[in-house]
């Protein structure tokens, strides 16, 4: 089992940038695919980005493609998401998630962090 703790959220003006981090417990971080999801008020949770165990494969939601970049440092047990050109509609609670690497990178994830709030003022 892996435990996840997000950080880096906050308040930023439209057009600004933030970098989210997600620190994972345990010694097997490199055996997990990692993902970022978000949930805005009154909306369902949605996929944002994912990265495979090696860092060699990434996927993005169309709404963030070209603006967000997911990366990982397996030596530090951490996954990041650099968010640039932020828009008001990016406002949400952002969640880090993990699943074993033997499963498909997309789809359901098994382990979740507590979330970090990102607020983009227009």
């Amino acid at each position: 089992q892996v435990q996840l703790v997000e950080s880096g959220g906050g308040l930023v003006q439209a057009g600004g940038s933030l970098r989210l981090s997600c620190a994972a417990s345990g010694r097997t971080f490199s055996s997990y695919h990692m993902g970022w999801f978000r949930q805005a008020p009154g909306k369902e949770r949605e996929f944002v980005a994912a990265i495979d165990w090696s860092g060699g494969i990434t996927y993005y939601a169309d709404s963030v493609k070209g603006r967000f970049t997911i990366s990982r440092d397996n030596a530090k047990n951490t996954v990041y998401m650099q968010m640039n050109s932020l828009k008001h509609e990016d406002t949400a609670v952002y969640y880090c998630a993990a699943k074993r690497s033997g499963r498909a990178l997309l789809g359901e994830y098994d382990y979740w962090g507590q979330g970090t709030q990102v607020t983009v003022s227009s």
Side-chain angles (χ1 to χ4, degrees), residues 14-94:
S17 298
L18 281 174
R19 188 176 83 153
L20 304 183
S21 299
C22 173
S25 64
R27 295 176 291 178
T28 59
F29 178 70
S30 60
S31 65
Y32 288 87
H33 296 325
M34 301 298 296
W36 286 99
F37 295 76
R38 67 186 181 187
Q39 186 167 20
K43 295 186 177 182
E44 293 187 354
R45 187 170 60 198
E46 64 175 359
F47 167 79
V48 177
I51 188 166
D52 81 321
W53 66 273
S54 71
I57 301 172
T58 57
Y59 285 110
Y60 297 92
D62 287 343
S63 59
V64 306
K65 203 171 293 183
R67 300 188 297 122
F68 291 11
T69 302
I70 189 171
S71 62
R72 66 189 296 159
D73 186 337
N74 286 345
K76 295 183 178 180
N77 282 15
T78 302
V79 63
Y80 306 96
M81 187 158 69
Q82 178 67 42
M83 305 187 296
N84 298 328
S85 303
L86 283 161
K87 305 176 181 180
H88 178 67
E89 50 265 40
D90 294 318
T91 295
V93 177
Y94 283 72

